């Protein structure tokens, strides 16, 4: 059931990213920016918060990457852990602790967790048949197997999930499975594993989720949980036959490791332990006190693990609290296509900062304003540009710059004393006081997209107030009235500096610097904003203005679109299927082919035939006519003098009334362009045979 009174503390987790690649905008939009907004808001409200995460460094994804690159798993995790950790820091994701599952504290925590459940008799021990690669001499973990999905027929489903239809699978369910290690067909072989009997927890999950969280969990989360529970839960393996991971810490576990889905969520606990030890705190209240509110921020592909499997593990253990909410987001696409690490169809955070330096908040804002909170959404570079130019620059930045510039122009940067407030001044200041509650209402319900637009509405309020009051005109006739107008505008700017921090931390920092609120004792507390009559007092000195945002030009956006187009072409080349081998022939069959070096001496288009060229070819034996379907790839004048390979003993054939006496040998390159097969050596003459 939902908590009714304010919690004593918060434990906020973000899904542990796999260290098999860098972080892209899909990760940021789906998990880390929403979590950071929420945490920054809680801190501004004065709450006790532990915000933890870490690199997920075990499992098949790491092993696959290591095999592909010909290095050790340790080299992979060290490389990407550092890239990921730096990306998060660069974008202001304010973790209290960012750990890694290769850390000793995690190995100990996960091992102890497993042993407790083992000793309590919570596991089922079974011998099952699993797919085994005889050539590689190893059992195949789910992601080392691909085959046809039994539910939708997709030909490239993995052993644990079909990414086409989203169905959860077992590797043995696949039709025509093959090993991704050797390409061979695996066989079934017996092996022993431990299973968590999820069916034992159905009643608990039904009551806790379907009854207790029907009204406060997001529909996409609740719906997926209900579907799983209604379908009937089955035991799930918690160990795997792998050589990379946390060794199974009980007798009979030799050569086996904890399944990554079992050890990874325990990483939240071990990360909290690591943080608490460093800070001199007790970690236990953050995981074992019922006065603590636990919230998991994840993407929709992790809903089942965080809402059904991990809570079942916590319930079995018996000492831990359960998550109060799991506000999972849907997926973010890129320019109409699914984000894909393997296909490089992504905007990588470390690359973004090289191309848009010091513009972290622009991406944070664009991703939040278009967040996939209820459905999959699409990131486009044009929308990114529009969000920046039309909102951040034209509304937020424009208002702040006007206020700061005019304050320096009229009052040397000193906040003026206001005179009597008119109705519009009182109304505007009262509206400002209402914004903390408006934003809190959005953020407490995990509606971060809505919150970002409410923040922009506050900037709109400031812009409209100035536009209507026109102090730049009024200064000539009523200087006293302008003092009040600028005083009110400066209060709005201060409100923006405070309330923007969860969404735009770097911008908030710049704005606080412009307003000079840090060293001057000016109160910048979220809680007092609604009750304080004055946020920025008269007589306070502000600093010179600096632009908070810059306009993004069309050429910069075109450069990003061109980059994606190049990626698309590369992917098309790589995905081009190799023509299967034809039926086996004997050497005698091959020896019948007479292939000679020749030179094209004439070429012209075949009348009324778009694809055909009529060629005269010197074969060294004779000069003969050959009709070839290459007119779409070559102009006649460009291939005269071209040296080619000719099959000279092909039976003549009439094409459009012209007898063709042979065949020019060609292939296609990766771009799909025809290429002549010809000898490299200049000294090879016409008529020389090819053996």
């Amino acid at each position: 059931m939902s908590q009714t009174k304010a919690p004593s503390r918060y434990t906020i987790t973000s899904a542990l990213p796999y260290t098999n690649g860098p972080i892209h905008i899909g990760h940021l939009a789906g998990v880390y920016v929403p979590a950071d907004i929420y945490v920054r808001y809680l801190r501004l409200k004065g709450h006790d918060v532990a915000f933890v995460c870490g690199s997920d460094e075990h499992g098949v994804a790491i092993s696959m990457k290591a095999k592909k690159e010909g290095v050790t798993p340790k080299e992979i995790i060290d490389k990407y852990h550092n890239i990921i950790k730096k990306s998060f820091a660069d974008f202001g994701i304010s973790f209290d602790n960012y750990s890694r599952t290769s850390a000793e504290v995690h190995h100990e925590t996960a091992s102890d967790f497993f042993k407790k459940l083992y000793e309590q008799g919570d596991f089922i021990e079974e011998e099952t048949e699993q797919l085994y690669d005889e050539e590689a001499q190893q059992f195949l973990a789910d992601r080392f197997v691909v085959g046809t999905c039994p539910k939708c027929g997709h030909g490239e489903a993995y052993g644990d999930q079909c990414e086409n239809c989203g169905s959860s699978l077992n590797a043995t369910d696949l039709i025509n499975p093959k090993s991704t290690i050797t390409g061979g067909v695996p066989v079934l072989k017996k092996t022993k594993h431990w299973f968590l009997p999820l069916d034992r927890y159905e009643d608990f999950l039904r009551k806790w989720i379907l009854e207790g969280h029907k009204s406060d969990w997001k529909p996409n989360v609740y719906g997926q949980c209900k579907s799983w529970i209604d379908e009937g839960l089955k035991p799930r393996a918690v160990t795997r036959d792998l050589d990379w991971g946390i060794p199974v810490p009980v007798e009979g576990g030799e050569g086996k490791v904890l399944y990554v889905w079992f050890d990874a969520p325990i990483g939240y606990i071990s990360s909290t332990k690591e943080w608490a030890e460093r800070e001199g705190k007790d970690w236990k209240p953050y995981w074992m006190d019922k006065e603590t509110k636990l919230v998991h921020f994840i993407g929709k592909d992790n809903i089942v693990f965080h809402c059904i499997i991990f809570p079942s593990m916590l319930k079995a253990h018996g000492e831990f609290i359960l998550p109060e909410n799991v506000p999972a987001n849907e997926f973010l696409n890129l320019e109409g296509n699914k984000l894909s690490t393997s296909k490089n169809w992504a905007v990588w955070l470390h690359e973004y900062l090289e191309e848009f330096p010091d513009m972290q908040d622009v991406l944070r804002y664009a991703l939040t304003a278009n967040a996939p909170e209820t459905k999959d959404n699409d990131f486009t570079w044009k929308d990114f540009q529009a969000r920046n130019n039309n909102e951040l620059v034209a509304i937020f930045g424009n208002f702040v710059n006007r206020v700061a510039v005019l304050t320096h122009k009229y009052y040397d940067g000193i906040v003026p004393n206001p005179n009597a407030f008119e109705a519009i001044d009182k109304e505007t200041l009262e509206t400002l006081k209402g914004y903390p509650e408006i934003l809190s209402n959005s953020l407490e319900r995990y509606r971060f997209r809505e919150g970002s637009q409410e923040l922009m509405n506050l900037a709109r309020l400031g812009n409209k107030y100035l536009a209507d009051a026109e102090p730049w005109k009024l200064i000539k006739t009523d200087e006293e009235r302008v003092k009040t107008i600028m005083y009110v505008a400066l209060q709005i700017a201060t409100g923006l500096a405070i309330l923007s921090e969860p969404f735009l931390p770097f911008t908030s920092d710049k704005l606080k610097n412009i307003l000079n609120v840090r060293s001057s004792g000016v109160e910048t507390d979220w809680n007092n904003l609604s009750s304080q009559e004055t946020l920025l007092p008269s007589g306070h000195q502000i600093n010179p203005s600096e632009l908070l945002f810059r306009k993004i030009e069309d050429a910069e956006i075109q450069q990003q679109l061109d980059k994606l187009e190049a990626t698309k072409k590369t992917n098309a080349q790589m995905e081009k299927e190799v023509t299967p081998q034809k039926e086996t022939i004997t050497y005698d069959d091959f020896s019948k082919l007479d292939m000679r070096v020749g030179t094209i001496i004439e070429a012209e288009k075949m009348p009324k035939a778009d694809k055909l060229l009529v060629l005269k070819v010197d074969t060294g034996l004779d000069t003969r006519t050959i009709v070839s379907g290459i007119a779409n790839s070559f102009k006649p004048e460009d291939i005269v003098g071209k040296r080619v390979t000719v099959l000279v003993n092909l039976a003549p054939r009439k094409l459009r009334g012209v007898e063709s006496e042979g065949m020019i040998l060609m292939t296609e390159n990766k771009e799909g362009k025809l290429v002549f097969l010809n000898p490299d050596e200049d000294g090879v003459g016409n008529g020389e045979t090819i053996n």
Side-chain angles (χ1 to χ4, degrees):
M1 297 292 287
S2 298
Q3 289 172 324
T4 54
K5 68 173 185 175
S8 299
R9 68 195 64 77
Y10 289 79
T11 301
I12 310 299
T13 75
S14 286
L16 275 59
Y18 275 124
T19 44
N20 65 332
I23 292 290
H24 57 59
I25 57 170
H27 301 123
L28 211 59
V31 179
Y32 304 104
V33 165
D36 188 62
I37 291 171
Y38 187 64
V39 165
R40 285 178 178 273
Y41 159 71
L42 292 175
R43 292 193 191 117
L44 283 169
K45 293 275 285 181
H47 293 297
D48 178 2
V49 182
F51 182 25
V52 296
C53 190
S55 294
D56 185 355
E57 300 178 324
H58 298 137
V60 182
I62 310 301
S63 298
M64 289 177 75
K65 186 82 172 179
K67 286 181 185 294
K68 186 177 180 180
E69 296 189 9
V71 296
T72 65
K74 182 73 165 61
E75 289 174 282
I76 292 290
I77 65 173
D78 286 346
K79 173 184 175 181
Y80 289 113
H81 169 75
N82 291 325
I83 291 173
I84 291 168
K85 188 175 182 180
K86 184 176 187 304
S87 292
F88 284 144
D90 287 344
F91 275 86
I93 308 301
S94 56
F95 296 122
D96 288 303
N97 197 60
Y98 188 80
S99 188
R100 53 195 306 186
T101 59
S102 62
E104 185 178 345
V105 64
H106 176 68
H107 276 241
E108 290 174 358
T109 304
S111 295
D112 290 346
F113 199 111
F114 180 90
K115 282 189 284 190
K116 187 171 193 303
L117 268 59
Y118 175 82
E119 289 163 3
Q120 292 175 175
D122 291 311
F123 295 135
I124 298 170
E125 189 177 314
E126 281 188 7
E127 190 176 71
T128 61
E129 287 191 320
Q130 291 190 10
L131 296 176
Y132 184 83
D133 186 323
E134 292 182 305
E135 185 180 338
Q137 293 190 327
Q138 72 175 72
F139 283 98
L140 296 174
D142 298 334
R143 289 271 157 164
F144 281 133
V145 189
V146 293
T148 301
C149 174
K151 298 187 179 180
C152 74
H154 179 59
E156 293 293 317
Y158 290 108
D160 61 344
Q161 186 180 37
C162 174
E163 294 190 350
N164 184 58
C165 68
S167 297
S168 180
L169 303 171
N170 289 313
T172 50
D173 296 334
L174 294 175
I175 301 166
N176 299 324
K178 65 178 180 181
S179 166
T180 61
I181 300 173
T182 64
V185 178
V187 298
L188 286 171
K189 186 175 179 180
K190 287 185 177 180
T191 184
K192 181 182 73 174
H193 283 291
W194 288 269
F195 293 75
L196 181 65
L198 291 176
D199 47 316
R200 290 183 191 171
Y201 303 94
E202 268 190 37
D203 290 342
F204 147 69
L205 293 167
R206 192 175 294 278
K207 185 175 181 181
W208 174 57
I209 300 174
L210 302 189
E211 296 177 20
H213 287 291
K214 188 172 185 178
S215 60
D216 63 331
W217 279 17
K218 292 171 71 170
N220 61 324
V221 178
Y222 183 87
Q224 194 174 134
C225 291
K226 187 176 188 306
S227 174
W228 264 68
I229 295 168
D230 287 348
E231 194 175 307
L233 300 175
K234 300 175 179 64
R236 189 140 182 138
V238 297
T239 58
R240 265 290 179 259
D241 291 295
L242 276 177
D243 56 2
W244 177 248
I246 298 174
V248 174
V250 297
E251 189 178 341
E254 297 79 13
K256 303 178 192 296
V257 298
L258 300 185
Y259 207 157
V260 69
W261 68 256
F262 182 89
D263 101 72
I266 298 171
Y268 301 138
I269 302 170
S270 58
S271 184
T272 308
K273 285 183 176 181
E274 194 173 71
W275 164 74
E277 183 175 353
R278 186 180 69 241
E279 298 296 322
K281 292 176 175 281
D282 181 4
W283 70 271
K284 290 184 178 179
Y286 293 89
W287 280 96
M288 296 179 174
D289 188 337
K290 290 182 180 178
E291 298 300 313
T292 298
K293 182 173 181 176
L294 172 63
V295 181
H296 297 309
F297 282 87
I298 58 167
K300 70 176 178 182
D301 53 336
N302 266 320
I303 289 173
V304 168
F305 296 104
H306 286 75
C307 297
I308 290 179
I309 299 174
F310 188 42
S312 296
M313 292 164 53
L314 296 174
K315 182 72 173 174
H317 189 285
E319 296 178 18
F320 291 96
I321 57 172
L322 300 172
E324 184 66 23
N325 213 315
V326 187
N329 272 355
E330 299 293 292
F331 289 152
L332 186 74
N333 297 322
L334 172 60
E335 297 288 351
N337 293 308
K338 282 185 177 181
L339 283 155
S340 173
T341 299
S342 61
K343 295 180 180 178
N344 195 30
W345 190 255
V347 177
W348 305 105
L349 301 195
H350 63 292
E351 290 183 3
Y352 169 88
L353 280 183
E354 291 171 5
E355 291 152 357
F356 295 95
D358 301 319
M359 295 179 71
Q360 298 96 322
D361 278 352
V362 179
L363 186 58
R364 283 178 66 118
Y365 178 75
L367 293 176
T368 304
N370 191 36
E373 291 179 350
T374 55
K375 61 181 179 63
D376 290 359
N377 270 2
D378 195 34
F379 176 91
T380 68
W381 281 109
K382 289 292 186 185
D383 178 71
F384 166 81
Q385 181 187 26
R387 294 283 184 189
N388 179 77
N389 294 355
N390 302 340
E391 296 176 28
L392 293 175
V393 173
I395 299 171
F396 195 119
N398 179 57
F399 170 68
V400 169
N401 190 54
R402 271 178 167 181
V403 173
V405 168
L406 292 178
T407 302
H408 276 275
K409 183 177 181 181
Y410 300 154
Y411 315 113
D412 295 326
I414 297 172
V415 179
N417 275 308
N419 292 294
F421 291 122
E422 295 184 3
I424 186 61
D425 308 323
K426 292 176 183 177
E427 183 183 328
T428 301
L429 289 171
E430 202 57 37
T431 302
L432 169 61
K433 287 182 180 180
Y435 266 92
E437 185 178 350
I438 290 170
L439 288 171
S440 290
N441 188 43
S442 295
L443 301 185
E444 294 285 2
R445 293 179 297 136
Y446 311 103
R447 295 186 177 181
F448 305 107
R449 187 172 63 202
E450 178 183 281
S452 71
Q453 297 315 291
E454 291 293 357
L455 177 70
M456 195 55 64
N457 284 339
L458 177 56
R460 287 188 176 96
L461 173 75
N463 260 331
K464 186 176 187 310
Y465 176 76
L466 277 186
D468 291 346
E470 296 184 310
W472 46 88
K473 290 183 180 179
L474 204 56
I475 192 70
K476 299 171 185 175
T477 59
D478 193 346
E479 291 185 7
E480 293 305 311
R481 173 66 187 141
V482 172
K483 289 179 181 177
T484 306
I485 293 167
M486 293 310 302
Y487 173 87
V488 171
L490 283 159
Q491 306 311 306
I492 298 172
T494 308
L496 278 172
I498 299 166
L499 298 176
S500 65
E501 184 178 333
F503 304 93
L504 308 168
F506 298 94
T507 304
S508 171
D509 201 50
K510 283 183 185 176
L511 183 45
K512 286 174 183 174
N513 183 58
I514 293 170
L515 296 173
N516 190 27
V517 296
R518 283 200 185 80
S519 58
S520 57
V522 172
E523 187 67 56
T524 55
D525 189 289
W526 182 296
N527 294 323
N528 295 336
L529 203 155
S530 296
S531 58
Q532 275 183 235
E533 292 301 322
T534 300
L535 299 178
L536 203 63
S538 301
H540 174 78
Q541 176 77 54
I542 71 168
N543 291 319
S545 179
E546 60 174 303
L547 290 180
L548 297 179
F549 307 99
R550 70 164 180 85
K551 188 180 178 184
I552 295 174
E553 302 298 337
D554 291 346
E556 296 176 83
I557 297 303
Q558 191 57 52
Q559 186 179 2
Q560 296 301 321
L561 294 172
D562 291 345
K563 189 175 172 183
L564 287 174
E565 190 58 34
T567 297
K568 194 178 285 186
K569 286 180 180 177
T570 301
N571 288 337
Q573 294 164 17
M574 293 178 67
E575 290 170 4
K576 186 179 176 184
E577 291 188 8
V578 177
T579 305
Q581 178 181 303
K582 295 181 180 179
E583 185 180 340
T584 302
I585 61 172
T586 65
Y587 181 79
D588 290 339
D589 293 329
F590 174 74
S591 65
K592 293 176 183 177
L593 301 176
D594 190 347
M595 292 177 286
R596 308 266 178 152
V597 175
T599 302
I600 298 172
I601 56 176
E602 292 180 24
E604 62 181 7
K605 282 195 170 185
M606 170 81 80
K608 298 181 181 180
D610 293 337
K611 295 182 179 180
L612 300 179
L613 292 184
V614 180
L615 311 175
K616 287 279 197 261
V617 182
D618 179 356
T619 67
L621 302 172
D622 52 26
T623 298
R624 63 178 67 186
T625 298
I626 296 176
V627 179
S628 184
I630 60 174
N632 287 344
S633 298
F634 302 99
K635 294 178 181 177
E637 60 269 25
D638 291 341
I639 60 173
V640 172
K642 189 77 177 174
R643 306 184 74 226
V644 293
T645 299
V646 188
L647 181 60
V648 294
N649 66 335
L650 185 67
R653 180 185 176 194
K654 277 197 174 183
L655 296 168
R656 299 272 180 149
V658 178
E659 189 165 62
S660 181
E661 304 172 279
M663 178 182 289
I664 307 288
L665 300 189
M666 310 196 77
T667 187
E668 280 187 358
N669 64 14
K670 287 185 176 180
E671 286 79 28
K673 182 183 175 184
L674 290 173
V675 179
F676 290 104
L677 298 182
N678 49 18
D680 291 331
E681 296 292 331
D682 291 336
V684 179
N686 291 342
E688 295 289 348
T689 59
I690 295 173
N691 301 314

